[in-house]
Every structure is written in structure tokens, then in C-alpha cells.
Amino acid sequence: MKLFPKSEYIFSIIGEETETLERLKRRTELSESLTSNITDKSFRGIVKDNTFRVISSEIGKGAFCVLTGKIVNKDGQVEIEINKAFRILLSVLLCLPFIGLIAQFFSKKEEFSIIFILVAILQLLMIRYVFIELAFRRLSKSSLNKLSDVLDIDHIQKS
């Protein structure tokens, strides 16, 4: 079981590689830290040579997904993953059912039941496969659409 989702796509661009990368540089606020900030650009991040590592510039939800990619000739690939800061926060959220289970085990108020283990596992699965997965799908699709618009992507498919 992968703890955090990740998607990889391959694509082809319409124009030339240099024009596409220049357009991406113009639409990206250069920043080493991948954090949200108010800007008029589409992305924040790093664009070097034919590689890029960017986040969407939307405040709040734009930093959730990091897009890391490379363009060679007219073909490219992009990997979308959850930002490291959000992975840390989500890891804490995933630990909460176990903390509750441990607290219930050591509590003297009522007897510990095996049902609590099942409930903790179900809560863990619900957090991972409902909340995190749905948020990742929605926000990664939004970021990918924005990247597709900036790069003038002709064809994109999941690899």
C-alpha cells in the first residue's frame, strides 16, 4: 500500500521545446521554496534547462501538489506528488486513529474491545482512500490542466 498517491504522465507539446520552456519560465515565479504566495504568475518553483519543479500559485490549495517534469524535444513527462509539508501533516492525521486506539486501551473508563481495532483500521483506510485520494485527484487534475494550458500540450496520457 502506497501511503501517498503519485501520478505520472507523458505528453507531447505543440511548439518547440525552447519556446515552451520560455513560456513556462515567464509564467513561473522563481522560488526555491514550494509555498503558496500571492502572485500574478501561474506557478511558483524552479525551471532549469529542460526540467521544472513547480506548484500552482493558487493560495491554499495550489501548494498541495508538486509537478516535477522534463521536456525533451517535443515529448515530456511530469510526475505529480503531494508536497512534503502536506505529507508531514497528513502523516500526523493518519496517526490519529492509532493514538485514539492507544488512549482507549489505557483508559480505565470502559473495557477495551477488539472492535476498537477494527474501527481504527477503518478510520485509517477512510482517511487514506477517501479524503487524501479525493483531494489529490481533484487538486492534481487542476494543476495538470493549468500546466497543460501553459505548455500548449497536444496529447497527454497517464503512464
Side-chain angles (χ1 to χ4, degrees):
M1 170 177 120
K2 292 189 307 183
L3 194 56
F4 298 108
K6 181 190 290 189
S7 296
E8 293 185 21
Y9 295 90
I10 54 174
F11 60 88
S12 59
I13 56 174
I14 294 174
E16 293 296 318
E17 173 188 352
T18 54
E19 293 173 8
T20 302
L21 287 168
E22 281 301 316
R23 188 177 325 109
L24 181 61
K25 284 180 185 176
R26 283 193 312 269
R27 302 276 305 265
T28 302
E29 180 181 309
L30 298 178
S31 171
E32 293 289 325
S33 67
L34 297 175
T35 58
S36 292
N37 198 4
I38 297 174
T39 181
D40 59 341
K41 310 269 182 157
S42 297
F43 296 103
R44 292 195 73 211
I46 303 165
V47 180
K48 289 183 182 175
D49 299 325
N50 62 342
T51 61
F52 58 90
R53 184 169 172 82
V54 295
I55 61 168
S56 177
S57 64
E58 293 179 59
I59 296 295
K61 59 185 179 179
F64 189 77
C65 294
V66 177
L67 290 84
T68 306
K70 183 176 186 177
I71 300 174
V72 179
N73 296 327
K74 290 192 174 227
D75 297 323
Q77 65 183 27
V78 64
E79 179 180 276
I80 305 172
E81 60 187 351
I82 296 176
N83 198 340
K84 187 176 182 178
F86 284 98
R87 284 194 306 235
I88 293 169
L89 291 172
L90 293 171
S91 296
V92 171
L93 183 66
L94 286 169
C95 290
L96 290 178
F98 294 114
I99 293 170
L101 185 66
I102 292 168
Q104 183 65 38
F105 181 73
F106 289 113
S107 174
K108 300 285 185 185
K109 293 180 182 173
E110 56 185 65
E111 295 267 334
F112 183 78
S113 175
I114 199 75
I115 297 293
F116 293 133
I117 296 172
L118 180 63
V119 169
I121 291 171
L122 288 175
Q123 286 175 346
L124 176 74
L125 293 174
M126 189 168 166
I127 291 168
R128 166 55 181 94
Y129 289 106
V130 175
F131 298 126
I132 294 175
E133 187 72 29
L134 289 177
F136 178 76
R137 284 186 185 190
R138 186 173 148 260
L139 297 173
S140 67
K141 185 176 181 180
S142 170
S143 295
L144 189 63
N145 286 340
K146 190 181 277 193
L147 182 71
S148 177
D149 183 44
V150 169
L151 295 181
D152 276 343
I153 291 177
D154 180 33
H155 174 72
I156 189 164
Q157 70 180 34
K158 195 168 188 158
S159 61

